Amino acid sequence: MATIELRKISKKFQAGVEAVNNVSLKINEGEFVVLVGPSGCGKTTLLRMIAGLETITNGDILLDNLVANNIEPHKRNIGMVFQEYALYPHLSVFDNIAFPLKVLKRNSPKKITKPEIEKKVLDILDLLELTDFINRKPKELSGGQRQRVALGRALVRNPGLFLFDEPLSNLDAKLRITLRQEIINLHKKFGITSIYVTHDQIEAMTMGDRIAVLRDGYLQQYASPFEIYNNPINLFVADFIGSASINIFEGGITNNIFYEKDSDISFKINTNQNNINLENIKYAAIRPEFINVENKYENTINIKIDNVEFIGSETLLYFTTGNTKKRIICSPTQDIKRNMNLLCSFQSAALLLFNESGDRVNF
């Protein structure tokens, strides 16, 4: 297992594009950290710099407290799983998984024997339930089986650090859920320090001990899933994390009342702190699950339902205020239909406030 520390890491490509900007974070031994953000935010570039596949423009990467900027990739004791599997099409499942050990056998001064290789590979095949496919080629496997082979090939080296670059993005939704759990179970079993890149915030929330949210190459927030969901540092994080997306009201506050721009929506802001300049508040936000479809709490809003999505475990309602689409998550037992008018309510304590720059304002 390994510890990783990034100290003011930056990456600037020749075209002048700054893919990563001054990112600092520390990953503890045995921790599972997820890098998440929209396409082009720099998460894969950051992962490739940790792996040694991209050079660093500025800053330092420390592996087990040693600066690793110039250490060659094959000397970093890293197992990496890619989005495209990267299996050798002419090799069997056994030989694909055995390949890193055979390279080690040729190049390492500490020789690993053929029986040792065979035992390690067979153990991995058994662990990943691939024994029945031992002699098949990659083209004879399903997408989930290929990804298991890729996991096995990385795992067989017994790495100190596991890197995942969107490994499940090519799989269907049901299989993604299954393999997501398998990856977490492998992490619990072996305790290998892991960094996982994804653009899927559900994967980030369900897998990570901590999440690093990136935007345009900048680190926005680095915290536990609970902290990021309930205490986002800015409007971008609040909007990016959460399914369904958070509801954002644009407007302003007068006499502790928030008035939404271009609508007749208003609600109370309860604060006992005199040092807050409420005039700087431009956005109020609330998670869809905190809006009740009954007149139950102190803040009420009249809405008209635009659309209804019955998901099974819950129902997702869409409505429009202030020219923006908003959402409510409610019980599937409530019979709500399109074009229905509702008087909904929520508590002031459930609101999040942000200033004009999108920074969080606590109240």
Side-chain angles (χ1 to χ4, degrees), residues 296-307:
K296 188 176 180 180
Y297 299 114
E298 69 267 26
N299 283 314
T300 60
I301 54 174
N302 283 295
I303 64 170
K304 182 179 180 179
I305 300 301
D306 297 330
N307 199 15

Side-chain angles (χ1 to χ4, degrees), residues 41-111:
C41 71
K43 54 189 183 293
T44 293
T45 301
L46 190 59
L47 193 79
R48 288 174 61 83
M49 286 194 289
I50 295 170
L53 302 176
E54 290 283 357
T55 58
I56 300 168
T57 304
N58 292 299
D60 291 313
I61 291 177
L62 279 72
L63 298 177
D64 289 329
N65 298 316
L66 296 175
V67 176
N69 295 23
N70 299 316
I71 296 177
E72 296 176 23
H74 67 277
K75 295 181 180 179
R76 298 192 184 197
N77 193 24
I78 288 172
M80 193 161 184
V81 181
F82 299 91
Q83 177 180 349
E84 300 296 338
Y85 316 134
L87 303 178
Y88 297 105
H90 62 290
L91 297 181
S92 67
V93 167
F94 180 95
D95 288 331
N96 262 287
I97 294 176
F99 185 82
L101 297 181
K102 290 179 179 180
V103 172
L104 183 66
K105 184 176 184 293
R106 288 196 301 265
N107 299 330
S108 174
K110 184 181 178 181
K111 299 297 182 182

Side-chain angles (χ1 to χ4, degrees), residues 159-177:
L161 176 62
F162 233 148
L163 304 181
F164 299 87
D165 188 10
E166 303 204 47
L168 308 182
S169 60
N170 289 335
L171 305 177
D172 63 67
K174 188 174 182 179
L175 188 54
R176 287 179 73 157
I177 293 172

